[in-house]
Amino acid sequence: MTTIRRCIEVDISRQVLLLKLADKVERRYTVSTAKQGAGELQNSGCTPRGRHRIAEKIGAGCQENTVFVGRVPSGEIYQPGMCEQYPQRDWILTRILWLAGEEPGVNQGGDVDTYQRYIYLHGAPDEVAMGVPGSGGCVRMRNRDVIELFDRVTENTPVWLYA
């Protein structure tokens, strides 16, 4: 008996994340990828392309708008206006799906390693625009969307990012 697995596709050029079961789109989410565009190099601020997998799921059971620092809940709950109060912060909220590259030399190993670059699918403040590039490399999502996605996928779910 064959098990049909879910997979995630992120179209960087269209700023869309698709959750698929077999070849059928189950969910479509508007996202925000890197302001610097697509690219794999460490410290580039770009969203990496290629085959990935969810290496770790972080934040199960956390309250919506939980603020994460270093992948650990900080004890803060994001409130409207905190973006203006702390403009230097890169807000990682609610849930984290930490990605690992699956292609040696492309997005795995050396100075192109997605996991070592700390690239995530994660929640973002409601004030952050979706549908336009704006992140430092991660894939930002609305909090309600990342909760729904988090609950539908497992570690090792395939993720394909393309431009």
Side-chain angles (χ1 to χ4, degrees), residues 43-125:
N43 300 319
S44 67
C46 295
T47 299
R49 293 163 291 196
R51 289 187 332 269
H52 294 80
R53 66 180 171 80
I54 296 172
E56 296 183 44
K57 291 177 58 174
I58 300 168
C62 287
Q63 179 178 335
E64 185 172 338
N65 286 309
T66 293
V67 176
F68 289 87
V69 176
R71 296 158 308 284
V72 176
S74 69
E76 301 167 281
I77 301 299
Y78 182 86
Q79 300 294 320
M82 288 175 79
C83 274
E84 291 79 30
Q85 188 177 4
Y86 303 102
Q88 73 287 359
R89 288 183 74 175
D90 183 17
W91 298 98
I92 298 172
L93 306 179
T94 306
R95 303 285 187 278
I96 297 170
L97 296 168
W98 192 354
L99 302 181
E102 294 284 289
E103 299 176 81
V106 174
N107 55 31
Q108 183 187 76
D111 60 356
V112 295
D113 195 280
T114 296
Y115 187 80
Q116 294 300 318
R117 289 181 60 204
Y118 303 102
I119 300 294
Y120 320 131
L121 309 177
H122 67 80

Side-chain angles (χ1 to χ4, degrees), residues 12-30:
I12 296 167
S13 64
R14 292 180 39 219
Q15 299 294 293
V16 172
L17 183 151
L18 303 174
L19 175 62
K20 293 178 136 186
L21 180 61
D23 287 330
K24 181 182 178 213
V25 175
E26 282 191 309
R27 296 284 189 271
R28 177 185 306 266
Y29 304 102
T30 301

